[in-house]
Amino acid sequence: MAIREDVLVVGGGIAGATAALAAAESGATVRLLSHKKSTLRQASGLIDVLGAIPRDGSSDGADPAGDRSPGDRTEPAGGGSTGESELVADPFEAIGRLPEAHPYRVVGGGAIRDGLELFDDAVGGAYEGAHTDRNALVITHGGTVKPTARYPESVAPGLASAERDTLLVGFAGLTDFDAPAAAAHLDAAGVPFAVDGATVEFPVRFRDDALTTRFAKALDTDESNARRRLADAVRDADADLDGYDRVGFPAMLGDDEGEAVRTDLEDRLGASVFQIPTGPPSLLGTQLEDLLFDALDAAGVRLASGNPAVGYEASDGRIDSVLVDRRGREVPYAAEEFVLATGGLVGKGIDSDRESVTEPVFGCHVPHPEDRYDWSEPEAFGGHAFARFGVVPDDDLRPAGESGEPEFENLRAAGGVLGGADTAREKSAAGVSLATGAYAGRRAGEEATR
């Protein structure tokens, strides 16, 4: 017998979590299916809505954000462009400059605000940025500045827009953050503050392959007086520490007790302390995943994880159930409405071989050039077609077939599985997931409970 809910969401990333929360708000019973751990653990933990407009993009000039005069336009943040993209100061003023097929153009600015509101409610005071539509400028571990809409509270003291002299501190042996090199890059970029870098030994010795969480837990428990010894090491590395207003560390300053760790270090160093988002494995990304799943639990969303969705059952143009492979046995999960949020090429929500590009769960149409050589551009950072591969939604986010008609009446898609956006170049991945997840989940909940 099939397990039945009002709404079934397939996919456990930001889009899936947002869709499930939005559906639950409507009063629907909701189940979220997640195969593996989400890609959030590989992400920075920042919430980017729209940080850049690729210069090879196009638009018909329509403005789905609403209430914008034709004279309004996006102002570059931080001096103009990055690579072949123009930085965006206010994402809502820039939506109209995106291509018509972009998911933001389908759902409109209101859905972006709905998604951000859901996110803000889910994470509580753990994130900042809700006070303004404008992007903040966050220092990255590579010594660049990234426009983002929401950022962890522990990152906030290090915003690049604040004219506060800064010392960056890295740990010897952790090669993904070279503090002196990052400081030099920021200085060369002309940030409005003095910036220097120093490398110190982490106060507790671990194996070379120790996880980021091991360093964080050592500071949580103050293992071997780790906090005092870390502060002493920073002072030994820079005798003129009193000349800095703030000190930035890679994001491993505690996990469960992160606020206490930073407060202790601030007292010892006499300066504000902030975290710098790092590459994978990302502690900030893992913490964001925990916050979202805590919110799902509080909303009464049922979770089923560890087994892949491998197919579906349908009749009369409607999906009846999703089939999940449980140790070689296909178990049906039935619902009135479904949301596909399995991610893009990276998350395996879109699959490809040398001949074709496919959506593996429901077999939805994914348009792509017949010639595989047309999937990419010669330039490494060019406008690659593969970056925009995904299902094509109608105006209700239902995946459409080649004819343009919805493939299934009760299926909507959200997040990276949608085509039409180059989210890496646009710095828009989380925002697309929030906006489309909120829209798809709300519509699924409304249809299931009416």
Side-chain angles (χ1 to χ4, degrees):
M1 181 177 178
I3 300 168
R4 190 168 196 87
E5 309 290 348
D6 290 332
V7 177
L8 183 70
V9 179
V10 185
I14 292 180
T18 306
L21 289 171
E25 279 192 349
S26 71
T29 61
V30 183
R31 185 178 295 272
L32 185 147
L33 294 179
S34 177
H35 177 201
K36 299 178 180 179
K37 294 185 182 299
S38 78
T39 54
L40 279 170
R41 293 168 182 261
Q42 313 303 319
S44 66
L46 302 175
I47 300 298
D48 304 332
V49 169
L50 182 61
I53 297 285
R55 293 192 182 280
D56 55 4
S58 63
S59 169
D60 66 0
D63 185 6
D67 300 324
R68 307 288 182 187
S69 68
D72 288 343
R73 66 182 184 87
T74 301
E75 296 178 3
S81 65
T82 174
E84 295 300 317
S85 299
E86 179 184 352
L87 297 187
V88 168
D90 184 336
F92 292 95
E93 290 185 352
I95 296 171
R97 298 170 57 197
L98 294 169
E100 272 193 82
H102 196 285
Y104 282 162
R105 298 292 298 273
V106 178
V107 299
I112 302 175
R113 295 188 189 280
D114 289 345
L116 288 171
E117 184 176 348
L118 271 172
F119 177 83
D120 294 336
D121 288 344
V123 302
Y127 272 66
E128 297 192 12
H131 64 289
T132 177
D133 284 349
R134 295 177 69 85
N135 282 324
L137 300 177
V138 172
I139 294 173
T140 72
H141 69 285
T144 61
V145 173
K146 183 179 185 181
T148 194
R150 300 289 190 273
Y151 42 92
E153 180 273 336
S154 63
V155 172
L159 294 184
S161 53
E163 297 184 18
R164 306 176 66 195
D165 291 347
T166 303
L167 176 66
L168 305 182
V169 177
F171 300 126
L174 298 181
T175 56
D176 60 341
F177 180 57
D178 184 331
H185 290 160
L186 287 167
D187 185 57
V191 292
F193 51 85
V195 56
D196 294 301
T199 301
V200 303
E201 293 283 346
F202 193 81
V204 182
R205 295 302 298 258
F206 299 117
R207 289 171 37 176
D208 290 343
D209 60 351
L211 298 176
T212 300
T213 50
R214 186 68 186 90
F215 292 83
K217 292 295 184 184
L219 291 169
D220 270 347
T221 61
D222 203 17
E223 180 179 341
S224 304
N225 294 314
R227 301 177 196 177
R228 176 185 59 79
R229 294 172 60 201
L230 176 55
D232 289 346
V234 174
R235 287 199 170 277
D236 289 344
D238 197 308
D240 191 28
L241 185 60
D242 292 340
Y244 298 104
D245 302 305
R246 56 187 179 181
V247 181
F249 295 87
M252 55 182 65
L253 297 183
D255 188 3
D256 298 328
E257 302 296 330
E259 184 176 353
V261 171
R262 293 190 303 277
T263 298
D264 196 349
L265 289 173
E266 286 178 341
D267 290 342
R268 296 177 185 278
L269 296 174
S272 296
V273 168
F274 66 95
Q275 296 200 111
I276 300 165
T278 60
S282 166
L283 183 63
L284 294 180
T286 300
Q287 290 171 336
L288 175 55
E289 182 182 56
D290 291 342
L291 288 169
L292 292 176
F293 275 79
D294 286 347
L296 290 169
D297 185 60
V301 174
R302 297 171 176 85
L303 303 177
S305 61
N307 300 294
V310 294
Y312 65 96
E313 298 172 323
S315 58
D316 299 324
R318 292 180 61 87
I319 297 169
D320 297 317
S321 64
V322 168
L323 302 176
V324 173
D325 183 353
R326 186 179 293 171
R327 297 181 180 178
R329 184 168 66 95
E330 292 187 350
V331 178
Y333 284 76
E336 293 296 321
E337 299 286 327
F338 297 82
V339 178
L340 176 66
T342 46
L345 286 167
V346 174
K348 301 299 183 183
I350 299 296
D351 204 359
S352 68
D353 55 28
R354 296 191 66 84
E355 303 298 328
S356 63
V357 183
T358 58
E359 184 282 300
V361 178
F362 298 103
C364 294
H365 174 59
V366 180
H368 57 279
E370 290 187 11
D371 190 336
R372 193 171 187 274
Y373 288 100
D374 292 333
W375 294 6
S376 61
E377 296 289 334
E379 297 81 10
F381 300 102
H384 302 295
F386 69 77
R388 298 183 296 277
F389 285 168
V391 302
V392 178
D394 70 0
D395 59 5
D396 202 26
L397 286 190
R398 293 176 298 184
E402 290 187 65
S403 67
E405 295 297 315
E407 303 216 36
F408 302 99
E409 182 182 338
N410 60 338
L411 174 67
R412 291 173 179 80
V417 74
L418 291 167
D422 188 344
T423 57
R425 295 179 76 204
E426 298 164 1
K427 307 183 192 303
S428 65
V432 168
S433 291
L434 289 174
T436 57
Y439 182 97
R442 176 174 56 80
R443 289 288 296 120
E446 290 172 347
E447 289 295 313
T449 58
R450 69 176 182 174

